[in-house]
Each structure stands twice: as C-alpha cells, then as structure tokens.
Amino acid sequence: MANQFQLFKRRRFSAMFFTQFLGAFNDNIFKQALILVLTYTAASQLGVEVSILNNLAAMLFILPYFLFSALAGQIADKFEKSKLTRFTKLLELSIMVIAAVGFVFEWYALLFVALFLMGTQSTFFGPIKYAYLPQAMHEDELVGANGLFQMGTSLAILLGMIMAGILTQVPQPLYWISATVLVIAVLGYFAARSIPTMPAMQPDLKINWNIFTTSVSTVRYLYSLRFLFFVILGNSWFWFYGATFLTQTPEFSKVILHGDESVVIFLLTLFSVGVSIGSLLCKRLTKNQVSLRLLPFGIAGLSIFAIDLYFSLSGLSVDVNSETLIGVGGLFEIAGSWRVFVDLFFLGFSGGLYIVPLYASMQAYAPKSHRARIVGANNIFNAIFMVGSAIFSIVVLNSLGMALPQLFLVTGLLNLVFGVFLYTKLNKHIQHDSIQTHDDELNRDD
C-alpha cells in the first residue's frame, strides 16, 4: 500500500485503531492525573517521598502484565477477538467507576486499586490487539499498520497527559477527571462495536487457568523460538528505557527545571511527537518490508541523546529557590534549554525507529496458532522489565543517592551495551530460527 493513511478507510483497521487509541488515552488521563495529584498534593499530605509514590504507582499498573499475560494470550487465541474486545471495554468502564469514586472522595488507596485493575484490563486487551493486526492486515500493510498503531499510542499517551494536566487546573478538578474517564470509556466501548469478526485461531485450545504454570509454559515455548525470544527482549528493553525516563518526568520537571504542570506536559509532548514521527517514517525507510535495518539507528539514538541529556541538564542554571514554579514560557528563557528540548525529541524519534521494526517482526514471524500467546509472553517480559525499571530507578535515586541526570546517563550507557548484545543475537538467529515461521505466515489464509 503506497500510503499507510489509506488504512483508515478500512473498518478492519480503523475500528481497532480507535478502540486502542481511546483505551490508551483513558489510561493516561487516569495515570497522569493520579501522578500529578501524588506529586503536587498527596505526597505532602501522606508524608511520603514523591519518587517512591510515583514508582509505586508504575509498579502497580504493570504488575498484572506479569501475573496474567500468559492467561490473556490463551484466551485471545481461543476466542473470537471482536467479542473479547467489547468485553474488555466493559471492564474498563466498570474500573473507571471505581476510579471516579476514588478521585471524588480522595481515597488514595482506592485509586491504587483502580490503577492495578486498569493494568489488568490492559493486560487482557494487549494480546487481542497485537494478534488482531497480522490477522486483519495483508502482508504489505503490516509495517504501516504498526507504525500507525505506535503513532496512535504515542499521541494517545501525550493527549491523555495533556488532558490530565488541563483537568487538574480547572475548578473542582477531581470531579472533572472522574467525568472525563467515564465518558471516554463509553466512547471506547462504542468504537469496539465496529470491529469486524475475526475467527479464533485455536478454538479447541484448553485453557490452563493456573497463572503460574501457564506463564512458565508460555515463556518456555517462546524460548524455543530463539529469534522471537530476542525480539521480545528488545521490545521489553524499550519499555524499561521509556519507563525510566517517563516515570521521572514530573519530578524532573519540578526539581531540576523548577517547572509547573505545564512543563511536564511540554516535555512529554516533545518525546511523544518524536516517537510518532519516527514510527511513521519506518514504513518509508524500510520500503514497507518487515526488516531490522533501522534497529542500529534506533539503538544509537537512544544512547547518544540520553547521554547528551545528562550534559545538557548539568549545564543549566535554574533558580530552584524561587517560591514560584515557572511555566513553559519561562522555560524558554533558561540558557541551554533548547539543547534539552532537542535531546528529548530525538530520544522519542529514535524510540520510534527502534520499536516499530521489532513489533512488526514479532507479529510476522510468530506461528499463527500461537500468535496471541507470543504477545502474552511479550507482555510478561515487558512487565518484568518495567517493574525492573521502577526498582532500578528507586535504587539509583534513593539508595545510591544519584541525581536524575545521572540516572539518564547510566540508562543511556546501559542501552548501548544492551543494544550491541541484542543486534548481535538477532542477526545470529534470524536465518536459522525464523524462516519457517515466516513462510507459514506468508501462506496464511486471510
């Protein structure tokens, strides 16, 4: 397909795109509103460090991916995907009712429960949407569809955070946040009603409801497919890397830049727009082929601009003793701030070049009968790496006493080491382990 945006004319793509877009949008309104409340209000009320509360929130959201992803993959392989999607959207609506009660009454414990439940809902939706794409798309549409999905996810995250920032500034913010997440959950359900029927890939599958044994079995199966195993390690590293940066953004904005909530949103905008542009360019740069040729450029960019972010932040001179937090306009007046902006944009851009080829490879090379379970295994590793990111950040910042710029520097250096390891392993195994599964995929009956 010459223009990937033509996919929006096809209901088999657009319905799922807007369903996942609205879901990610709602997730991030809720999560970012909660983080802003924790950063600017709850931390002082509860007498707990901001970094501990924010990293605890990150771990609670991602923990269900570790616990339930293998089960979610089995369910997505066994049952028809449009009905499963509608069911998960009804779950989202129910969870947002709980979240609304938590916000209105300022019950932080209930909000943490809702956060865990939203992570659970996302866990069950993930294998559905990523196994849906290669089933619904033709071979020459897969890279473009993944680029659009990644763009949509990045924009949904960005817009959700912007919306959360706006809602926290209006009168009676907790009521507005509650009403907004409920309305978007309803819209997501109606978008899901337009998803066409997609036959179950393995309707006779007997589900193992033991989340521990089925997780072990799924990971063991993935490990037998060595190329896919390293593709998924690469995917998971991206989420480790991204979580390490994005989770710290509110504190980074407040402590280093002495900025208000608008500065948080501005910095996240730079990163998210970069991811979107990098993701969309993947189709053109790979000539619409499932290929890892862009991966080295993504790896290099993620390290170069993380390391430069350390130096650009170290060179800033900000009056952190002022009682008034600065806005975006004041941020532009700080000498050297443009270098920080460039680093954040190209961190996102490099991330787009890195992640889209890996997701497309995972979908293209996964055996058709086990595709959703491969996505489930991917989510297990994503969860491990993201929880690891939260623990890593707490250790570096709280136990080792490093500053946030030093955390970014260490992460950039680790990325360089991991990236060389990953690219070496992928090149070693792609010819030996993936050709047969790819041939099966090319012969699939759409």
Side-chain angles (χ1 to χ4, degrees):
M1 178 173 289
N3 184 350
Q4 63 209 89
F5 289 98
Q6 295 293 317
L7 288 172
F8 282 109
K9 296 180 179 180
R10 291 160 171 74
R11 184 166 65 96
R12 58 190 165 89
F13 174 81
S14 60
M16 182 59 85
F17 176 90
F18 287 111
T19 298
Q20 70 90 27
F21 178 89
L22 289 167
F25 183 46
N26 216 17
D27 276 357
N28 285 278
I29 292 176
F30 171 56
K31 287 193 295 181
Q32 186 66 11
L34 179 57
I35 286 174
L36 290 173
V37 169
L38 293 176
T39 300
Y40 289 92
T41 305
S44 59
Q45 291 179 355
L46 299 174
V48 181
E49 290 287 335
V50 172
S51 61
I52 292 177
L53 282 178
N54 286 347
N55 284 297
L56 175 63
M59 284 193 289
L60 275 176
F61 183 80
I62 206 63
L63 182 60
Y65 285 87
F66 176 72
L67 296 175
F68 306 123
S69 286
L71 176 61
Q74 290 182 87
I75 291 172
D77 274 332
K78 180 176 177 62
F79 297 105
E80 194 273 317
K81 293 181 179 61
S82 65
K83 290 182 180 178
L84 281 179
T85 302
R86 290 192 290 273
F87 179 73
T88 63
K89 301 310 285 185
L90 289 174
L91 281 179
E92 179 185 335
L93 181 56
S94 302
I95 295 163
M96 285 304 156
V97 171
I98 297 172
V101 173
F103 274 122
V104 168
F105 292 98
E106 297 185 58
W107 292 343
Y108 298 116
L110 188 62
L111 286 170
F112 279 124
V113 169
L115 189 65
F116 177 82
L117 293 175
M118 274 305 294
T120 302
Q121 185 268 346
S122 298
T123 298
F124 281 89
F125 182 50
I128 299 169
K129 67 179 179 181
Y130 283 117
Y132 173 93
L133 274 184
Q135 190 176 356
M137 300 297 106
H138 300 305
E139 185 190 358
D140 64 349
E141 297 171 334
L142 191 56
V143 174
N146 272 281
L148 289 171
F149 255 56
Q150 191 60 50
M151 176 205 72
T153 300
S154 298
L155 291 180
I157 292 170
L158 168 62
L159 294 174
M161 290 178 171
I162 291 174
M163 179 64 76
I166 292 171
L167 293 173
T168 56
Q169 299 303 304
V170 301
Q172 302 293 328
L174 299 180
Y175 288 91
W176 279 104
I177 293 167
S178 301
T180 302
V181 295
L182 288 170
V183 168
I184 295 171
V186 171
L187 293 175
Y189 171 74
F190 281 108
R193 291 182 63 86
S194 297
I195 296 173
T197 299
M198 284 290 150
M201 300 309 297
Q202 201 169 354
D204 297 329
L205 175 67
K206 184 178 180 180
I207 293 178
N208 178 1
W209 295 96
N210 185 318
I211 61 174
F212 299 105
T213 59
T214 195
S215 295
V216 170
S217 176
T218 300
V219 171
R220 185 176 295 147
Y221 175 73
L222 171 66
Y223 190 72
S224 71
L225 306 172
R226 300 286 283 171
F227 174 72
L228 285 172
F229 174 75
F230 286 108
V231 165
I232 284 174
L233 280 187
N235 285 345
S236 300
W237 175 256
F238 176 79
W239 293 108
F240 176 99
Y241 186 97
T244 300
F245 279 80
L246 296 182
T247 303
Q248 316 311 323
T249 301
E251 186 177 3
F252 158 47
S253 303
K254 183 180 179 183
V255 173
I256 298 180
L257 301 177
H258 202 56
D260 60 17
E261 291 93 333
S262 67
V263 172
V264 179
I265 300 304
F266 175 69
L267 298 181
L268 292 170
T269 298
L270 289 172
F271 185 86
S272 299
V273 171
V275 172
S276 299
I277 294 173
S279 299
L280 288 176
L281 282 177
C282 285
K283 177 179 182 294
R284 179 181 297 274
L285 295 175
T286 61
K287 298 181 180 179
N288 209 26
Q289 296 177 344
V290 177
S291 167
L292 297 176
R293 69 181 66 152
L294 295 179
L295 193 60
F297 297 98
I299 292 168
L302 288 172
S303 285
I304 289 169
F305 294 106
I307 294 169
D308 192 66
L309 183 61
Y310 163 76
F311 289 107
S312 61
L313 289 174
S314 300
L316 290 179
S317 179
V318 182
D319 180 12
V320 296
N321 295 317
S322 171
E323 294 183 1
T324 305
L325 298 176
I326 64 173
V328 174
L331 191 63
F332 279 85
E333 297 175 3
I334 299 174
S337 61
W338 279 97
R339 185 173 169 187
V340 176
F341 304 158
V342 170
D343 286 336
L344 287 172
F345 173 82
F346 280 105
L347 276 173
F349 182 84
S350 303
L353 296 183
Y354 176 94
I355 194 63
V356 169
L358 288 174
Y359 267 112
S361 296
M362 178 181 71
Q363 295 164 1
Y365 290 103
K368 184 165 63 173
S369 61
H370 286 68
R371 189 178 286 140
R373 276 166 285 177
I374 292 293
V375 177
N378 175 71
N379 289 343
I380 291 173
F381 280 93
N382 287 357
I384 293 171
F385 275 62
M386 290 181 75
V387 171
S389 166
I391 296 171
F392 169 73
S393 298
I394 291 173
V395 169
V396 170
L397 296 174
N398 298 96
S399 299
L400 300 181
M402 291 188 182
L404 284 170
Q406 293 172 312
L407 172 66
F408 301 152
L409 172 64
V410 171
T411 306
L413 293 173
L414 285 176
N415 177 76
L416 190 61
V417 175
F418 180 84
V420 172
F421 163 79
L422 175 68
Y423 195 66
T424 301
K425 290 294 186 180
L426 288 173
N427 277 337
K428 176 182 177 181
H429 290 288
I430 187 169
Q431 294 298 329
H432 297 89
D433 299 344
S434 63
I435 292 176
Q436 184 59 51
T437 53
H438 192 206
D439 288 343
D440 293 343
E441 197 63 30
L442 293 178
N443 294 327
R444 70 185 185 271
D445 181 8
D446 288 328

